[in-house]
Amino acid sequence: MIVGVPKEIKDNEYRVSMTPPGAHQLVEAGHTVLVERGAGDGSFFPDEEYIEAGAIIVSADEVWSRANMVVKVKEPLPAEYGYLRPDLILFTFLHL
């Protein structure tokens, strides 16, 4: 499976949905992890830590287009609706 981690675009949202150790666990299990460039910056996880964990740093477009599953902290915002597709698994934390 290809797992994508986009940067959160909601105002004042600085968290990232996956830490470098989490990415490492998925890579060790045989998955590919795509992390958007700068996605972890607000949580003090630089791209280099994701690279060391085995993740691949890519653009937002690549995260959304190449991933089978996208993992987010917040719900998709209107600017992200165009990325959604019927075969995409969206894993997000709902704050109901």
Side-chain angles (χ1 to χ4, degrees), residues 6-16 36-39 60 64 72-83:
K7 185 173 183 172
E8 296 295 328
I9 62 171
K10 187 168 186 165
D11 285 342
N12 299 311
E13 180 56 72
Y14 303 106
R15 296 174 292 178
V16 64
E36 181 181 345
R37 191 169 294 106
W64 286 98
K72 287 182 52 61
V73 173
K74 300 297 286 183
E75 69 283 347
L77 295 178
E80 297 168 315
Y81 291 171
Y83 290 125

Side-chain angles (χ1 to χ4, degrees), residues 5 16-28 33 35 39-41 43-55 57:
V5 180
V16 64
S17 61
M18 188 176 301
T19 64
H24 179 73
Q25 289 291 317
L26 288 174
V27 170
E28 286 291 306
V33 178
V35 177
D41 289 351
S43 295
F44 304 101
F45 296 121
D47 291 344
E48 294 75 23
E49 288 188 30
Y50 287 100
I51 292 168
E52 290 172 13
I57 304 300

